[in-house]
PDB file of all heavy atoms in Angstrom:
ATOM      1  N   VAL A  22     -19.157 -14.024  -4.748  1.00 98.00           N
ATOM      2  CA  VAL A  22     -17.911 -14.597  -4.072  1.00 98.00           C
ATOM      3  C   VAL A  22     -17.917 -16.068  -4.152  1.00 98.00           C
ATOM      4  O   VAL A  22     -16.826 -16.634  -4.451  1.00 98.00           O
ATOM      5  CB  VAL A  22     -17.826 -14.030  -2.651  1.00 98.00           C
ATOM      6  CG1 VAL A  22     -18.992 -14.421  -1.787  1.00 98.00           C
ATOM      7  CG2 VAL A  22     -16.530 -14.388  -2.042  1.00 98.00           C
ATOM      8  N   VAL A  34     -12.547 -22.746   3.083  1.00 98.00           N
ATOM      9  CA  VAL A  34     -12.126 -21.366   3.065  1.00 98.00           C
ATOM     10  C   VAL A  34     -11.775 -20.858   4.471  1.00 98.00           C
ATOM     11  O   VAL A  34     -12.522 -21.058   5.390  1.00 98.00           O
ATOM     12  CB  VAL A  34     -13.179 -20.471   2.480  1.00 98.00           C
ATOM     13  CG1 VAL A  34     -12.754 -18.953   2.446  1.00 98.00           C
ATOM     14  CG2 VAL A  34     -13.477 -20.955   1.039  1.00 98.00           C
ATOM     15  N   GLN A  37     -10.276 -14.087   6.298  1.00 98.00           N
ATOM     16  CA  GLN A  37      -9.512 -13.243   7.115  1.00 98.00           C
ATOM     17  C   GLN A  37     -10.118 -11.832   7.044  1.00 98.00           C
ATOM     18  O   GLN A  37     -10.343 -11.311   5.967  1.00 98.00           O
ATOM     19  CB  GLN A  37      -8.049 -13.206   6.638  1.00 98.00           C
ATOM     20  CG  GLN A  37      -7.189 -12.126   7.278  1.00 98.00           C
ATOM     21  CD  GLN A  37      -6.689 -12.394   8.660  1.00 98.00           C
ATOM     22  OE1 GLN A  37      -5.676 -13.087   8.845  1.00 98.00           O
ATOM     23  NE2 GLN A  37      -7.450 -11.897   9.685  1.00 98.00           N
ATOM     24  N   ASP A 117       9.264 -21.340   9.168  1.00 98.00           N
ATOM     25  CA  ASP A 117       8.819 -20.151   9.859  1.00 98.00           C
ATOM     26  C   ASP A 117       8.538 -19.051   8.784  1.00 98.00           C
ATOM     27  O   ASP A 117       9.470 -18.594   8.080  1.00 98.00           O
ATOM     28  CB  ASP A 117       9.913 -19.599  10.826  1.00 98.00           C
ATOM     29  CG  ASP A 117       9.471 -18.414  11.571  1.00 98.00           C
ATOM     30  OD1 ASP A 117       8.372 -17.861  11.269  1.00 98.00           O
ATOM     31  OD2 ASP A 117      10.232 -17.997  12.520  1.00 98.00           O
ATOM     32  N   PHE A 121      10.684 -15.269   5.334  1.00 97.00           N
ATOM     33  CA  PHE A 121      10.485 -14.637   4.030  1.00 97.00           C
ATOM     34  C   PHE A 121      10.625 -13.062   4.206  1.00 97.00           C
ATOM     35  O   PHE A 121      11.204 -12.382   3.376  1.00 97.00           O
ATOM     36  CB  PHE A 121       9.136 -14.953   3.398  1.00 97.00           C
ATOM     37  CG  PHE A 121       8.866 -16.463   3.368  1.00 97.00           C
ATOM     38  CD1 PHE A 121       7.704 -16.967   3.768  1.00 97.00           C
ATOM     39  CD2 PHE A 121       9.863 -17.303   2.876  1.00 97.00           C
ATOM     40  CE1 PHE A 121       7.514 -18.364   3.703  1.00 97.00           C
ATOM     41  CE2 PHE A 121       9.670 -18.670   2.782  1.00 97.00           C
ATOM     42  CZ  PHE A 121       8.476 -19.163   3.227  1.00 97.00           C
ATOM     43  N   ASN A 207      15.879   7.826 -11.508  1.00 94.00           N
ATOM     44  CA  ASN A 207      16.936   8.281 -12.444  1.00 94.00           C
ATOM     45  C   ASN A 207      17.247   7.301 -13.510  1.00 94.00           C
ATOM     46  O   ASN A 207      18.341   7.356 -14.089  1.00 94.00           O
ATOM     47  CB  ASN A 207      18.205   8.564 -11.597  1.00 94.00           C
ATOM     48  CG  ASN A 207      18.162  10.006 -11.152  1.00 94.00           C
ATOM     49  OD1 ASN A 207      18.011  10.944 -11.990  1.00 94.00           O
ATOM     50  ND2 ASN A 207      18.393  10.244  -9.838  1.00 94.00           N
ATOM     51  N   GLY A 208      16.356   6.337 -13.706  1.00 85.00           N
ATOM     52  CA  GLY A 208      16.657   5.344 -14.717  1.00 85.00           C
ATOM     53  C   GLY A 208      15.476   4.830 -15.429  1.00 85.00           C
ATOM     54  O   GLY A 208      14.532   4.488 -14.838  1.00 85.00           O
ATOM     55  N   ALA A 227      -7.768  14.871  -7.965  1.00 98.00           N
ATOM     56  CA  ALA A 227      -9.072  15.500  -8.142  1.00 98.00           C
ATOM     57  C   ALA A 227     -10.208  14.722  -7.328  1.00 98.00           C
ATOM     58  O   ALA A 227     -11.016  15.446  -6.657  1.00 98.00           O
ATOM     59  CB  ALA A 227      -9.463  15.533  -9.639  1.00 98.00           C
ATOM     60  N   ASN A 228     -10.177  13.437  -7.367  1.00 98.00           N
ATOM     61  CA  ASN A 228     -11.304  12.710  -6.730  1.00 98.00           C
ATOM     62  C   ASN A 228     -11.131  12.659  -5.240  1.00 98.00           C
ATOM     63  O   ASN A 228     -12.086  12.534  -4.520  1.00 98.00           O
ATOM     64  CB  ASN A 228     -11.407  11.324  -7.349  1.00 98.00           C
ATOM     65  CG  ASN A 228     -12.082  11.442  -8.695  1.00 98.00           C
ATOM     66  OD1 ASN A 228     -13.252  11.640  -8.806  1.00 98.00           O
ATOM     67  ND2 ASN A 228     -11.256  11.304  -9.756  1.00 98.00           N
ATOM     68  N   ILE A 290       6.160  12.295   5.730  1.00 98.00           N
ATOM     69  CA  ILE A 290       7.593  12.191   5.496  1.00 98.00           C
ATOM     70  C   ILE A 290       7.933  12.682   4.004  1.00 98.00           C
ATOM     71  O   ILE A 290       9.055  13.005   3.814  1.00 98.00           O
ATOM     72  CB  ILE A 290       7.944  10.654   5.665  1.00 98.00           C
ATOM     73  CG1 ILE A 290       9.425  10.581   6.233  1.00 98.00           C
ATOM     74  CG2 ILE A 290       7.991   9.907   4.404  1.00 98.00           C
ATOM     75  CD1 ILE A 290       9.484  10.618   7.682  1.00 98.00           C
ATOM     76  N   GLY A 292       7.440  15.301   2.033  1.00 98.00           N
ATOM     77  CA  GLY A 292       7.978  16.666   1.690  1.00 98.00           C
ATOM     78  C   GLY A 292       9.513  16.729   2.093  1.00 98.00           C
ATOM     79  O   GLY A 292      10.309  17.277   1.336  1.00 98.00           O
ATOM     80  N   CYS A 302      17.289  14.662  -8.980  1.00 97.00           N
ATOM     81  CA  CYS A 302      16.291  14.086  -9.868  1.00 97.00           C
ATOM     82  C   CYS A 302      15.474  15.183 -10.493  1.00 97.00           C
ATOM     83  O   CYS A 302      14.296  15.166 -10.647  1.00 97.00           O
ATOM     84  CB  CYS A 302      15.440  13.149  -9.053  1.00 97.00           C
ATOM     85  SG  CYS A 302      14.395  12.001  -9.941  1.00 97.00           S
ATOM     86  N   PHE A 309       6.906  16.679 -12.886  1.00 98.00           N
ATOM     87  CA  PHE A 309       5.830  16.451 -11.917  1.00 98.00           C
ATOM     88  C   PHE A 309       5.107  17.755 -11.578  1.00 98.00           C
ATOM     89  O   PHE A 309       3.835  17.877 -11.583  1.00 98.00           O
ATOM     90  CB  PHE A 309       6.383  15.781 -10.646  1.00 98.00           C
ATOM     91  CG  PHE A 309       5.393  15.706  -9.529  1.00 98.00           C
ATOM     92  CD1 PHE A 309       4.516  14.607  -9.482  1.00 98.00           C
ATOM     93  CD2 PHE A 309       5.458  16.549  -8.481  1.00 98.00           C
ATOM     94  CE1 PHE A 309       3.602  14.521  -8.353  1.00 98.00           C
ATOM     95  CE2 PHE A 309       4.532  16.494  -7.421  1.00 98.00           C
ATOM     96  CZ  PHE A 309       3.615  15.388  -7.352  1.00 98.00           C
ATOM     97  N   ASP A 322      14.480  25.689 -13.056  1.00 98.00           N
ATOM     98  CA  ASP A 322      14.026  24.322 -12.889  1.00 98.00           C
ATOM     99  C   ASP A 322      13.837  24.087 -11.396  1.00 98.00           C
ATOM    100  O   ASP A 322      12.938  23.434 -10.897  1.00 98.00           O
ATOM    101  CB  ASP A 322      14.943  23.252 -13.456  1.00 98.00           C
ATOM    102  CG  ASP A 322      14.872  23.231 -15.020  1.00 98.00           C
ATOM    103  OD1 ASP A 322      13.925  23.884 -15.545  1.00 98.00           O
ATOM    104  OD2 ASP A 322      15.655  22.525 -15.586  1.00 98.00           O
ATOM    105  N   ILE A 387      16.596  13.036   6.974  1.00 98.00           N
ATOM    106  CA  ILE A 387      15.213  13.253   6.492  1.00 98.00           C
ATOM    107  C   ILE A 387      14.234  13.137   7.667  1.00 98.00           C
ATOM    108  O   ILE A 387      13.335  13.965   7.833  1.00 98.00           O
ATOM    109  CB  ILE A 387      14.875  12.261   5.392  1.00 98.00           C
ATOM    110  CG1 ILE A 387      15.686  12.495   4.161  1.00 98.00           C
ATOM    111  CG2 ILE A 387      13.400  12.246   5.071  1.00 98.00           C
ATOM    112  CD1 ILE A 387      15.614  11.471   3.033  1.00 98.00           C
TER     113      ILE A 387
END
Side-chain angles (χ1 to χ4, degrees):
V22 65
V34 179
Q37 168 80 86
D117 184 353
F121 308 132
N207 267 310
N228 285 286
I290 216 86
C302 194
F309 172 80
D322 288 353
I387 293 171

